[in-house]
Amino acid sequence: MRRILLPVLLLSLVTATPAHADPSRDPRLTDNALYSVGPIPRSACAEKPINRRNHVPTARKYVTFVMGCLDRVWSTYLAEAGIPYKKPRLKLLTKDPKKYCGLDWADYDYAWYCYDNREIMVVLDRTLLNLDPDDLYIFTMLAGFYGEHVQHLAGIEEARLEGESDDPITDVRRSLLQSLCLSGAFTGSVYRSMPRNVDDWKFIVKQRGKVVQDRFYGKPASIAYWMNRGFTSRDPKFCNTWTAPKAKVA
């Protein structure tokens, strides 16, 4: 699997609006209602593997099914937390766009969460579906982008952008690692219903570390730590990267 995030798009997350306060002291980040409910209840999301390589209709059905699970689980959970819910848009393409979210698109990328219109876009072409499509990778990729949307709904994204920080790169990393942790929490809540075992999860965590590691996401060890923390706890409380020591978000 290739890199899923464009550096130029990530840089747009660093150039925030005018600063007001240190993010580490903002209760919207450190004491958010998202952390107050407890573990995500276990439920079923019995995925059906894509199996057929480079087959767009099967992949489209798979992505749409997973998004339906994400909508169901997070709408219920956020209601318990008292956080208004609105599902993200989903846009599926079969070839790379020239531009997306106002920026040029690179032909080696295949998915993105656009903050401007709250949309998850996936390009279902050979870049993603070639030879041996890794269903669980696509599953956790979608869940990670959905985690970014959850951060928006909970006010976490707004608080980060409004914050003053001496280290904005680390703040972006805290946000992205939190989205991966939320991905793990969701996946852990439905994993027993999936045709998967523990080794499948370990493999995908390792793959994610290889694919997305950079100065924004951090080291593979940090990626693994937060994905596993979410997966084993199923609790967004344990995805609170904003109170974690810097060594845990390196």
Side-chain angles (χ1 to χ4, degrees):
M1 288 295 179
R2 300 186 182 184
R3 178 176 299 280
I4 61 172
L5 296 173
L6 295 170
V8 66
L9 290 175
L10 281 174
L11 284 171
S12 70
L13 301 181
V14 181
T15 55
T17 53
H20 299 291
D22 181 351
S24 65
R25 299 180 182 179
D26 192 325
R28 290 177 295 175
L29 297 174
T30 60
D31 194 27
N32 196 280
L34 180 65
Y35 313 141
S36 66
V37 178
I40 300 174
R42 295 192 185 277
S43 64
C45 184
E47 56 159 355
K48 295 181 179 180
I50 295 175
N51 288 332
R52 300 176 64 181
R53 67 175 183 262
N54 295 324
H55 192 253
V56 172
T58 304
R60 185 188 299 274
K61 185 176 180 180
Y62 181 86
V63 169
T64 303
F65 173 78
V66 175
M67 285 294 293
C69 291
L70 285 158
D71 290 338
R72 171 180 54 80
V73 169
W74 281 116
S75 62
T76 302
Y77 192 86
L78 293 175
E80 288 290 322
I83 297 172
Y85 171 80
K86 184 177 182 179
K87 70 179 182 180
R89 297 183 179 93
L90 174 64
K91 185 174 185 177
L92 300 178
L93 303 179
T94 56
K95 63 179 181 180
D96 291 334
K98 291 183 178 179
K99 289 182 176 289
Y100 183 67
C101 208
L103 296 168
D104 291 335
W105 187 257
D107 59 7
Y108 54 79
D109 286 286
Y110 48 75
W112 184 250
Y113 174 67
C114 182
Y115 286 83
D116 291 343
N117 59 11
R118 307 302 164 188
E119 179 179 80
I120 296 174
M121 189 274 281
V122 183
V123 181
L124 300 175
D125 67 359
R126 288 176 180 268
T127 307
L128 183 62
L129 304 179
N130 191 34
L131 298 181
D132 184 18
D134 193 326
D135 304 344
L136 188 56
Y137 189 96
I138 296 172
F139 189 100
T140 56
M141 177 190 75
L142 292 169
F145 287 138
Y146 213 103
E148 294 184 47
H149 184 66
V150 168
Q151 289 173 320
H152 158 65
L153 296 174
I156 291 171
E157 175 204 348
E158 180 182 14
R160 179 185 64 79
L161 291 175
E162 290 180 352
E164 178 180 1
S165 175
D166 294 330
D167 191 357
I169 297 295
T170 298
D171 289 341
V172 171
R173 190 180 303 133
R174 289 182 189 275
S175 178
L176 294 174
L177 288 172
Q178 183 172 57
S179 73
L180 291 182
C181 184
L182 294 173
S183 167
F186 164 76
T187 305
S189 75
V190 298
Y191 205 71
R192 289 183 179 178
S193 71
M194 298 165 64
R196 304 288 178 181
N197 57 39
V198 175
D199 287 339
D200 291 333
W201 173 253
K202 290 180 179 179
F203 174 78
I204 217 63
V205 170
K206 186 176 180 179
Q207 286 298 104
R208 292 285 288 186
K210 289 180 179 179
V211 171
V212 302
Q213 61 171 306
D214 55 27
R215 68 183 180 128
F216 293 100
Y217 274 96
K219 300 175 181 178
S222 296
I223 292 169
Y225 174 80
W226 289 104
M227 288 188 72
N228 286 325
R229 189 171 168 88
F231 184 78
T232 56
S233 70
R234 311 188 331 269
D235 193 338
K237 176 179 69 175
F238 292 98
C239 296
N240 186 355
T241 57
W242 305 98
T243 57
K246 196 168 183 179
K248 292 297 185 183
V249 293

